Amino acid sequence: MGDAISDDEKRQLVHQLLLQTPPGEFNATFNDVRILVDNDNIMKQCGKTYMDYFLEQHTPVLVSGEETVALSREGRLPDGNFLAPNTKKVFSFDPMKKEATVVGDYSGPLEHESLRTVIREKLGDYIKNHYLEGVETVLARTNAETNKPEIIIVIESHSFMQNNFHTGNWREAWNLSVDESSGSARLKGTIKVQVHYYEEGNVQQVSRKDVESSFKFSSDESLADEVVRVLEELTNSYQRAIMEMYGNTFTHTFKSLRRALPITHSKMNWEQIASLKIGAELKNIKA
């Protein structure tokens, strides 16, 4: 037998497998990995990995029945808890139970709150019109280097249909840098799409696109309008690119994976198959 796997290697295995888990399938993967590792102490030591997974997935959580928040590293407070920006609640998140628990009210500074609110309201209407199960979270802060407003936008939409053997989500994370003195802004973000289809097979597609755009504005209202316009333009462009890629895959790539004709370069004459050896064998089997 080969050398036994060390505890460090097992921890690395847990980390790699769980972070690759398709959306909506964490529990199933966790249970399989637990059997594979066969060491609950090691599983308990990997709590950071579990949290990293839900942060990466921008998992939506309901906070005190009032606000749904898309988890993100930017929304995490220094003490490890999270901020619900609309209700100003501070909450903890249990990655094993996938539950949020309110621990108190937020008492820190509210930076650029009027700008954040205008953008959130405009963005909320956009999400309702474009995402079937969409969640948006808008945060505001001051950039430590530029001392200028910075808006963080996190969007998540998913479809978990295990009964039909497929799950997937669409995730966006945006950073809006605002220069009020010049009336200019830059929106920079990452769009991620992850889909898993496993009926009579196992196919997972993971893609990402880094995008950015700059624009002018004259007021908080016009800035919010421009943010929504640019978001729609960039995401629509990416969606079209994905659809074109799949179209080319089905019409060209898959066809190149198999012969158009047998190696003899002649089509099978199915009407005369009985005269062939294989036809005789099939008749014998049927008899």
Side-chain angles (χ1 to χ4, degrees), residues 206-247:
V206 181
S207 65
R208 64 172 287 165
K209 177 73 172 179
D210 297 322
V211 293
E212 64 178 286
S213 180
S214 298
F215 48 87
K216 293 287 188 177
F217 67 94
S218 57
S219 64
D220 288 357
E221 193 80 16
S222 66
L223 174 58
D225 288 335
E226 282 298 295
V227 168
V228 171
R229 181 190 66 80
V230 173
L231 273 179
E232 182 173 12
E233 181 181 287
L234 294 175
T235 53
N236 283 350
S237 175
Y238 185 48
Q239 184 177 8
R240 284 193 297 269
I242 292 177
M243 298 303 292
E244 289 174 4
M245 178 194 71
Y246 277 118

Side-chain angles (χ1 to χ4, degrees), residues 61 63 67-72 74-77 82-91 106 109-111 113 116-117 120 136-140 152-154:
V61 295
V63 181
E67 177 183 0
T68 301
V69 176
L71 295 180
S72 68
E74 291 79 7
R76 204 167 189 184
L77 300 171
F82 296 86
L83 171 64
N86 299 339
T87 57
K88 306 299 183 290
K89 299 291 185 182
V90 176
F91 66 94
Y106 180 67
L110 296 175
E111 300 179 291
E113 181 63 14
R116 188 199 73 83
T117 300
R120 178 187 64 79
E136 80 285 349
T137 296
V138 181
L139 304 159
I152 306 299
I153 299 171
V154 180

